[in-house]
Amino acid sequence: MFDEKKMKATFDQVHASDALLTEVLEMMPNNTNQHIHKPHRIARTLLIAAVLLCVLAGTVTAAVSGAVRVNGDIAGIMDSWFGSSGDYASGSAIVKYDEWGKLSMNIPAWSRESLDMDVAERLVASYLYTLEGNTVTKGGFTYTIHAILYDSNTGAVMVCWSVENPNGLGEYGLSPNGEVFLLEGSAMRWVVGGRNYLDTVNSTDTKLYISSFGVASDDELWARFGVCNDPENGKYAKEFDEQKIILPRSDRGGMKALTFNDNITVSPVAIRFDALEESADLEELIIAYTDGSEYVVFSDSTFVDNTTYGVDSSQGYVTYSFNRIVDVDKVSAIVVNGEVYAVN
Amino acid sequence: MTDTQFTYLATKYIDTVFRVALNFLKNKADAEDITQTVFLKLYREPKPFDSEAHIKHWLIRVTLNECKKTVCSPFRSAENIDDYANSLRFDTPEHSDLFDAVMDLPQKYRVPIFLYYYENYSTAEISKLLSIPTPTVATRLHRARALLKTKLQEVNDHV
């Protein structure tokens, strides 16, 4: 998928033009034919205005019908998203180098916390939903969506789903932090969210329960499930038999949320920063509670990351989903790069 | 610097400077402007260099500084990187996908990952070049790899 060799081969194809080299060499005073290349330019503000119009037009997208109530183990589902019952509840930072001395694994330390069901029921449980026709069967694999959580305030999406095959699931990969992924040679085929974590409490040899985390754009939400008929060709296989299903967005509205500085939104499940400069660095985020305790969401200096997913959008917003539920009724402040934003 | 020395260095490192600028700015016209500016500064640089490695390091550092100035400028060209990407001849679709995915990264991830994986700079060296702490470089590489993984997965889904 991504390696140093492929990176070199790719950017080896990027060259300065012969004309540019000629112009550079002609800059020397002894050259008589000097001229400087200057491309046509337009005002940057015009570009920004155009982008804003596109974004605003996209927000017209309406909620999709088809959401139905979850008839399952809601406590178990929320524990898999926000609790600490699984095998990957916490871990130290993992830094590994490959045989060429290049960084091959770089996972910050993380720590999950026990789910407080009272808080979960008060702030989150009623927002869970699933969809009609929530099962896809392909090539012996049965994929089932059990629950979806969509937070309209931040765009964060969580999906609880499973894949089952009585004859065995074949190959898949598992990171030290519980992140599960497909390998070259995997017969399973799925695309859900941005990161997927194995729910080790409920999974068996023939059935995996997976927690997926993503961030919705203005487009429709979807997932794809299927089978790879050409597993020998791995991730570049062309022979997929898969089905795309549209995930409805609940019209339940947004969860209770806090707003700071007009551009930071904190919900019980995620945080969103809007209108950030592209060069802005989010190096540390801490949520402080009224009882004096703290949730270190991430910290570059201590190499800690207690998020389940993060999106740094080229549209100027950044969203991180939490690995625990934040009781927004008890937040006293958030601290971003050392700057304190108190709850009013 | 003699004209002979300058010609040798410009011919050898023009691609390096152009690639760094293109990665930073995502814009061919601006990258070409920066390349010219950097080599003009090299030609006029009065201080001697210790070695060719020193020159390369200096070129990249000056390129990054010029790119930062350009980003702050109220005027930038409106060229679309897709047009430039389409003009490149990649060996395989995977290389094309990787180029698109890297260019789609936010700037703060795009530049470290290019310097690390293409130019082979260490996290400590990148830290100095970009004037950011080494742990921040490590974090950005971590996040860039995760983003690339997601983007390449999405691209693959649409093959």
Side-chain angles (χ1 to χ4, degrees):
Chain A
M1 180 178 286
F2 169 68
D3 56 49
E4 189 173 348
K5 188 179 169 188
K6 194 172 289 176
M7 185 80 171
K8 286 195 179 296
T10 297
F11 280 91
D12 276 346
Q13 299 308 312
V14 175
H15 298 285
S17 66
D18 291 342
L20 179 61
L21 177 60
T22 302
E23 288 184 46
V24 165
L25 295 178
E26 285 176 350
M27 291 188 304
M28 287 182 287
N30 293 338
N31 267 298
T32 54
N33 186 27
Q34 290 186 51
H35 64 277
I36 301 292
H37 166 83
K38 286 290 175 191
H40 173 69
R41 295 174 181 279
I42 66 168
R44 191 183 186 193
T45 47
L46 293 179
L47 292 176
I48 292 169
V51 170
L52 281 174
L53 282 175
C54 292
V55 172
L56 291 172
T59 58
V60 176
T61 307
V64 180
S65 62
V68 295
R69 189 166 168 268
V70 175
N71 287 313
D73 176 14
I74 289 179
I77 290 167
M78 287 205 289
D79 187 69
S80 71
W81 289 338
F82 306 113
S84 60
S85 299
D87 291 346
Y88 302 99
S90 63
S92 302
I94 303 167
V95 180
K96 289 183 179 175
Y97 294 85
D98 64 18
E99 60 203 276
W100 299 285
K102 302 298 286 187
L103 198 63
S104 61
M105 184 175 289
N106 195 29
I107 300 175
W110 74 98
S111 174
R112 290 173 172 261
E113 288 198 339
S114 299
L115 181 71
D116 184 330
M117 265 315 288
D118 291 338
V119 176
E121 286 184 352
R122 172 162 50 87
L123 296 172
V124 180
S126 64
Y127 291 86
L128 266 65
Y129 62 98
T130 185
L131 73 161
E132 295 170 343
N134 61 345
T135 297
V136 171
T137 301
K138 292 284 182 186
F141 294 101
T142 300
Y143 299 89
T144 305
I145 289 182
H146 302 284
I148 305 166
L149 182 65
Y150 168 60
D151 175 26
S152 60
N153 285 317
T154 60
V157 181
M158 288 104 199
V159 183
C160 172
W161 58 279
S162 63
V163 52
E164 182 173 23
N165 189 333
N167 298 318
L169 297 162
E171 293 182 60
Y172 61 90
L174 195 56
S175 288
N177 63 350
E179 200 176 337
V180 61
F181 53 91
L182 297 175
L183 299 169
E184 293 186 25
S186 292
M188 291 183 282
R189 166 75 177 165
W190 73 63
V191 185
V192 193
R195 281 194 200 166
N196 307 290
Y197 296 84
L198 187 64
D199 172 2
T200 56
V201 174
N202 296 300
S203 296
T204 65
D205 289 344
T206 57
K207 186 172 186 177
L208 301 183
Y209 279 83
I210 295 176
S211 301
S212 295
F213 299 85
V215 173
S217 64
D218 293 324
D219 301 326
E220 62 190 8
L221 304 180
W222 53 265
R224 297 162 86 110
F225 297 114
V227 60
C228 179
N229 293 328
D230 187 19
E232 295 305 312
N233 281 323
K235 50 192 162 241
Y236 298 121
K238 302 292 189 292
E239 298 298 322
F240 295 123
D241 178 11
E242 59 182 14
Q243 182 178 334
K244 178 179 178 179
I245 56 177
I246 305 299
L247 308 181
R249 293 191 202 214
S250 167
D251 53 6
R252 175 80 169 74
M255 295 175 215
K256 187 169 186 178
L258 302 170
T259 305
F260 301 88
N261 200 39
D262 291 334
N263 72 327
I264 306 171
T265 305
V266 177
S267 84
V269 300
I271 185 167
R272 174 172 168 137
F273 298 84
D274 281 291
L276 283 179
E277 290 291 328
E278 191 178 343
S279 58
D281 285 323
L282 294 173
E283 296 175 351
E284 186 170 76
L285 170 64
I286 297 169
I287 294 177
Y289 293 103
T290 50
D291 66 0
S293 61
E294 290 183 339
Y295 166 28
V296 178
V297 183
F298 55 80
S299 170
D300 286 4
S301 60
T302 54
F303 206 35
V304 168
D305 188 346
N306 283 313
T307 67
T308 44
Y309 186 59
V311 160
D312 194 333
S313 160
S314 54
Q315 278 79 45
Y317 69 84
V318 175
T319 300
Y320 291 99
S321 52
F322 302 139
N323 71 357
R324 64 196 69 173
I325 291 176
V326 168
D327 188 345
V328 291
D329 291 328
K330 294 182 179 174
V331 171
S332 62
I334 63 169
V335 186
V336 182
N337 293 351
E339 189 164 350
V340 179
Y341 298 88
V343 174
N344 291 325
Chain B
M1 181 172 291
T2 66
D3 286 4
T4 304
Q5 287 172 323
F6 180 76
T7 301
Y8 165 78
L9 293 170
T11 306
K12 185 169 182 180
Y13 291 111
I14 193 167
D15 281 348
T16 301
V17 171
F18 178 73
R19 285 175 188 137
V20 171
L22 186 76
N23 265 274
F24 198 110
L25 299 168
K26 268 177 70 171
N27 183 303
K28 177 173 171 273
D30 282 345
E32 288 181 335
D33 269 5
I34 295 290
T35 304
Q36 283 195 321
T37 303
V38 169
F39 279 102
L40 191 60
K41 282 177 179 275
L42 175 68
Y43 190 79
R44 293 172 175 169
E45 176 60 36
K47 293 179 185 172
F49 293 97
D50 300 333
S51 62
E52 200 166 312
H54 183 200
I55 293 174
K56 185 181 176 186
H57 184 88
W58 183 94
L59 284 169
I60 291 179
R61 187 166 53 78
V62 173
T63 303
L64 291 169
N65 287 339
E66 290 300 320
C67 287
K68 288 174 189 170
K69 286 184 201 168
T70 299
V71 167
C72 296
S73 165
F75 295 102
R76 292 192 60 193
S77 58
E79 184 189 54
N80 188 335
I81 190 67
D82 293 341
D83 295 337
Y84 178 64
N86 290 334
S87 73
L88 297 173
R89 296 281 177 270
F90 293 107
D91 292 340
T92 67
E94 286 75 40
H95 293 128
S96 176
D97 291 345
L98 179 57
F99 181 82
D100 292 343
V102 170
M103 284 297 147
D104 202 33
L105 289 173
Q107 177 200 95
K108 63 185 174 186
Y109 301 142
R110 204 166 58 232
V111 176
I113 209 158
F114 175 79
L115 294 174
Y116 189 84
Y117 286 103
Y118 189 83
E119 292 293 346
N120 282 322
Y121 281 110
S122 68
T123 51
E125 288 169 320
I126 296 170
S127 162
K128 288 178 185 167
L129 283 167
L130 295 173
S131 302
I132 54 177
T134 304
T136 303
V137 175
T139 305
R140 289 184 185 184
L141 287 171
H142 168 71
R143 291 179 185 161
R145 283 168 60 101
L147 282 168
L148 280 177
K149 186 176 155 189
T150 303
K151 287 174 189 294
L152 292 171
Q153 176 71 54
E154 287 169 358
V155 167
N156 196 34
D157 297 335
H158 292 89
V159 169

